[in-house]
């Protein structure tokens, strides 16, 4: 019983002495907390916040000369991709590579045995298939083996031209994320430079730097993802057309073994 009373008195005494000290510590800490809150509010109020401008506008024109150049490069890459997508969509079609009218005219001339007439049809309608057939028809007097070699060389050249046009889509798909990554690195470097400059960091500048890092990454992916899909779609279409063109070309020249040149 005595021990219980002694413990109760000791506990009450500890609480009596501890409470004032805790209250004193809290009272001393309150001014520091208020001062820190006031400082943050002051910094936030001092940070530039352009009225009526979007976040992207702030990032575009507030990321410095290097950041602005990177954005111009990203816009240029996007514009070049759109141009290539439209251009390849127009040119990589069966009607542009192997027109049905040309095939019909050459077939009619070959049935008549008139190689000169078939050659004229090819020269009047310059397309990849016409160029390949022209290479074969111009060597008709040198034998069928020479004709096949000429057609094979011309076909390789025309296929390379088509694939070179498509390869620029691959360039856009590869360079856009690299530009976005470079913008990300530039934004993070600026952010850490702001943090390590000493003193109170500029909250507005820090937010702009981080936004620059994220927006450039998004910009690179916005260009790269459609460019990759477009490249493979057009490449597969070109491969199908090329295979069809090669089969049609061999069908058209198979009768050249026995064709005699008709002199005008």
């Amino acid at each position: 019983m005595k021990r219980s009373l002694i413990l109760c008195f000791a506990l009450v005494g500890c609480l009596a002495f501890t409470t004032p000290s805790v209250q004193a510590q809290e009272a001393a800490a309150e001014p520091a907390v208020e001062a820190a809150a006031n400082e943050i509010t002051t910094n936030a109020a001092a940070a530039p916040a352009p009225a009526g401008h979007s976040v992207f506008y702030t990032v575009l024109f507030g990321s410095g000369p290097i950041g602005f150049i990177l954005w111009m490069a990203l816009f240029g890459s996007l514009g070049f991709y759109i141009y290539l997508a439209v251009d390849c969509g127009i040119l990589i079609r069966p009607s542009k590579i192997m027109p049905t009218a040309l095939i019909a005219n050459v077939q009619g001339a070959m049935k008549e045995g008139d190689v000169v007439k078939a050659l004229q049809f090819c020269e009047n309608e310059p397309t990849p298939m016409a160029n390949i057939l022209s290479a074969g028809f111009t060597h008709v007097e040198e034998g069928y083996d020479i004709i096949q070699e000429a057609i094979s060389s011309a076909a390789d050249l025309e296929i390379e031209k088509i694939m070179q046009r498509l390869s620029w889509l691959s360039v856009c798909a590869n360079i856009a994320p690299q530009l976005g990554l470079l913008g990300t690195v530039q934004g993070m470097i600026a952010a850490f430079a702001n943090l390590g400059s000493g003193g109170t960091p500029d909250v507005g500048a820090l937010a702009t730097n981080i936004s620059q890092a994220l927006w450039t990454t998004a910009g690179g992916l916005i260009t790269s993802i459609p460019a990759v899909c477009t490249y493979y779609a057009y490449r597969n279409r070109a491969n199908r057309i090329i295979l069809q063109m090669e089969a049609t070309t061999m069908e058209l020249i198979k009768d050249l073994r026995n064709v005699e040149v008709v002199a005008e």
Side-chain angles (χ1 to χ4, degrees):
M1 184 69 180
K2 290 182 180 180
R3 291 180 179 178
S4 299
L5 290 175
I6 292 171
L7 289 174
C8 289
F9 283 120
L11 181 60
V12 171
C14 290
L15 291 174
F17 285 106
T18 305
T19 301
S21 62
V22 171
Q23 292 177 350
Q25 291 177 356
E26 291 178 351
E30 285 179 359
V33 173
E34 292 179 358
N38 292 332
E39 184 178 359
I40 293 174
T41 304
T42 303
N43 290 335
H53 292 162
S54 64
V55 176
F56 179 73
Y57 180 90
T58 304
V59 170
L60 180 61
F61 293 99
S63 55
I66 298 178
F68 186 78
I69 292 172
L70 286 173
W71 275 111
M72 292 301 101
L74 281 172
F75 287 143
S77 177
L78 178 60
F80 190 47
Y81 156 68
I82 294 173
Y83 164 76
L84 289 173
V86 174
D87 182 66
C88 292
I90 294 173
L91 296 179
I92 302 179
R93 293 185 300 171
S95 59
K96 293 293 184 180
I97 296 177
M98 42 179 298
T100 54
L102 173 66
I103 296 173
N105 291 331
V106 172
Q107 284 178 341
M110 295 301 292
K111 288 179 181 179
E112 298 174 1
D114 193 346
V115 179
V116 175
K117 186 177 180 181
L119 180 60
Q120 288 177 347
F121 284 130
C122 293
E123 292 176 349
N124 293 334
E125 193 171 356
T127 58
M129 186 172 186
N131 296 334
I132 294 172
L133 290 173
S134 296
F137 291 152
T138 54
H139 295 84
V140 69
E141 296 179 351
E142 300 177 18
Y144 189 71
D145 293 337
I146 302 299
I147 294 173
Q148 284 185 317
E149 291 179 3
I151 286 179
S152 178
S153 299
D156 291 340
L157 179 60
E158 296 298 327
I159 292 171
E160 183 63 25
K161 290 179 180 178
I162 295 173
M163 290 305 173
Q164 281 184 356
R165 187 180 296 272
L166 286 176
S167 65
W168 286 107
L169 279 172
S170 179
V171 170
C172 288
N174 289 324
I175 199 172
Q178 300 297 324
L179 290 172
L181 179 60
L182 184 58
T184 302
V185 173
Q186 186 262 341
M188 296 307 296
I189 289 174
F192 281 107
N194 185 26
L195 290 174
S197 60
T200 303
D202 189 346
V203 179
L206 183 62
T208 300
N209 294 331
I210 296 175
S211 297
Q212 163 77 4
L214 297 177
W215 274 97
T216 50
T217 303
L221 294 177
I222 287 172
T223 303
S224 175
I225 293 173
V228 171
C229 297
T230 306
Y231 168 71
Y232 283 106
Y234 284 158
R235 191 193 68 172
N236 293 338
R237 181 196 294 182
N239 287 333
R240 290 194 300 269
I241 296 173
I242 288 168
L243 291 175
Q244 185 179 358
M245 180 180 65
E246 291 177 346
T248 305
T249 302
M250 298 307 296
E251 183 69 20
L252 290 173
I253 68 168
K254 68 179 183 180
D255 295 330
L256 288 180
R257 297 183 181 92
N258 302 320
V259 167
E260 295 179 0
V261 180
V262 178
E264 293 185 349

